[in-house]
Amino acid sequence: MLYLIGLGLGDATDITVKGLQAVKSCSRVYLEAYTSILTVGKEALEEYYGKQLILADRDLVEQGADQILEDADVTDVAFLVVGDPFGATTHSDLVLRAVNAGIPYKVIHNASVMNAVGCCGLQLYNFGETVSVVFWTETWRPESFYDKICKNRTAGLHTLCLESLVTDFRGKKIYEPPRFMTVNQAADQLIQVIQRRKEEGMTEDTVCVGVARLGSDEQKIRVGTLNQLVSCDLGAPLHSLVITGRLHPLEVDMLRVNAEPNALENLHMIDSSTYTS
Amino acid sequence: MLYLIGLGLGDATDITVKGLQAVKSCSRVYLEAYTSILTVGKEALEEYYGKQLILADRDLVEQGADQILEDADVTDVAFLVVGDPFGATTHSDLVLRAVNAGIPYKVIHNASVMNAVGCCGLQLYNFGETVSVVFWTETWRPESFYDKICKNRTAGLHTLCLESLVTDFRGKKIYEPPRFMTVNQAADQLIQVIQRRKEEGMTEDTVCVGVARLGSDEQKIRVGTLNQLVSCDLGAPLHSLVITGRLHPLEVDMLRVNAEPNALENLHMIDSSTYTS
């Protein structure tokens, strides 16, 4: 059996009881190590599980899948993923290889940024398409994420922006140590697009939510205008940025809990039940 | 401290280790009992936790919040929610009352249908707005969910349709025992809209995914045309229906694992990298 086990978002104890039981029963346990990070490292997990972990980097997962699946028809193998196994990044390819080899697989789910972001007070129902914000370079400054945000906002929907985690986002085979985009950097890139395009859609006063280390004990949430978030310090990675769409009064009340001074002052009533910025 | 603890989607062991530790340390533990269900009941959870649970029905949560929060500034109180505390239904109101009363709160996240649905093979990135499908009556047949599905499909996005769980969806105060909408019923209502409107957007041949008891050991996934899903038996609740948008070839490969015969035969290549139905 191949177990795909979500580790959740915080530390070693964010694994589910079912997941922990599976880890303890497996003869080999891989830790997927290139799409996300926990606030604790491999050693802390090994100590907590009482088990050695095999780090699965991108090369191993993409080229060494046979190695991961070896004997998985007769023994149990676990593949651990931060968040949910089908969260921010899919591991469909590994699953398909297992299926094709006649190896049964089982998914043990957990929280991921895609659902845990609801704790900022915005309704998950009201999110549109998720976007990725990549690091710009001197010559490569894609703006497609901005178009998607505006499309969502036109439909009244919020947008979860997942920040770049790795630098090999263009399919390059040269792996550099991961860089983590901060909320400040994402907000700054957005403001540059806004200033260049001068279109409607969103402004520097649009209410946004910066989230850091979501789901961990060191979680930080800051609600402010895009302008305010350029300079607010959210500390260590991982960061995510949410651009609000139409806001229900209950969402506004929840945002207020973590809001910067005056962040919610410029909301406009759309009808008797919603606001926008 | 008020703990909001997600129970995940399957049975008692789908709670996280951190969540279980919190449950054991709390002096009162409430089980939110009107927005969702696990595959196990209150008694199974009580036995697993070694603790009595207080059922929190809608009245208690909406009118008796003070009771839930009583002494939570000096003792620990847990509020258990199937899925994630901020998943399909928000408990923002309880959180706001805690904040206003100066009671600290902590969220312990878990999987919810909003992220676990990724296991069907469709990328979470490519989902648009989530819609709710409510039970039609003789005189009340809202179609707004169909418009949202078409809007998502136009943008190439998949749609997660959450099926009705309760019957008091129009804010009535008469609570009937919960009825659970099946994938068949949701598909049937959709087909009625399609036949009445005769517009473009989606057809009876659009590829859909029926999901039952997501995240539990009895999980069932069926991929078929909307027409096929009207008659496929997915068994006990809860059910969800996903309407596909533009499909990446890897998504098609994943869907094939659970597909009905010929379900994916009528996909049309849009460009070199995507399909639609």
Side-chain angles (χ1 to χ4, degrees), chain A residues 9-21 48 83-84 86-90 92-93 95-96 99 105-132 151-152 154-155 157 162 214-217 219 250 253-254 257-258, chain B residues 9-21 48 83-84 86-90 92-93 95-96 99 105-132 151-152 154-155 157 162 214-217 219 250 253-254 257-258:
Chain A
L9 296 166
D11 57 39
T13 64
D14 282 296
I15 194 170
T16 64
V17 175
K18 188 179 279 177
L20 185 59
Q21 287 166 351
Y48 187 71
D84 185 71
F86 293 94
T89 299
T90 173
S92 303
D93 188 63
V95 169
L96 284 173
V99 169
Y105 74 96
K106 200 178 155 89
V107 179
I108 300 180
H109 290 288
N110 211 319
S112 65
V113 58
M114 305 289 280
N115 71 337
V117 71
C119 72
C120 74
L122 299 172
Q123 300 264 3
L124 288 182
Y125 279 115
N126 299 336
F127 278 75
E129 185 178 2
T130 300
V131 308
S132 294
K151 204 166 186 179
N152 283 339
T154 304
L157 302 172
L162 299 176
L214 182 63
S216 79
D217 290 340
Q219 171 179 301
L250 188 61
D253 289 343
M254 282 292 288
V257 174
N258 299 298
Chain B
L9 296 167
D11 57 37
T13 63
D14 282 297
I15 194 170
T16 64
V17 175
K18 188 179 279 177
L20 184 60
Q21 288 167 349
Y48 188 73
D84 185 70
F86 294 93
T89 300
T90 171
S92 303
D93 188 63
V95 169
L96 283 173
V99 169
Y105 74 96
K106 199 177 156 92
V107 179
I108 300 181
H109 290 287
N110 210 319
S112 65
V113 59
M114 305 290 279
N115 70 337
V117 71
C119 72
C120 74
L122 298 172
Q123 299 264 3
L124 289 181
Y125 279 115
N126 298 335
F127 279 74
E129 186 179 3
T130 301
V131 308
S132 294
K151 204 166 186 177
N152 283 339
T154 304
L157 302 172
L162 298 177
L214 182 63
S216 79
D217 290 339
Q219 171 179 300
L250 188 61
D253 289 343
M254 282 292 287
V257 174
N258 300 296

Side-chain angles (χ1 to χ4, degrees), chain A residues 58 134-142 164 166-176 179:
Chain A
R58 181 166 287 210
V134 294
F135 281 110
W136 282 352
T137 66
E138 282 289 304
T139 53
W140 193 67
R141 301 161 70 89
S164 289
V166 287
T167 53
D168 55 339
F169 43 79
R170 277 165 295 172
K172 278 203 252 160
K173 279 287 168 200
I174 307 148
Y175 302 139
E176 299 169 31
R179 285 194 301 156

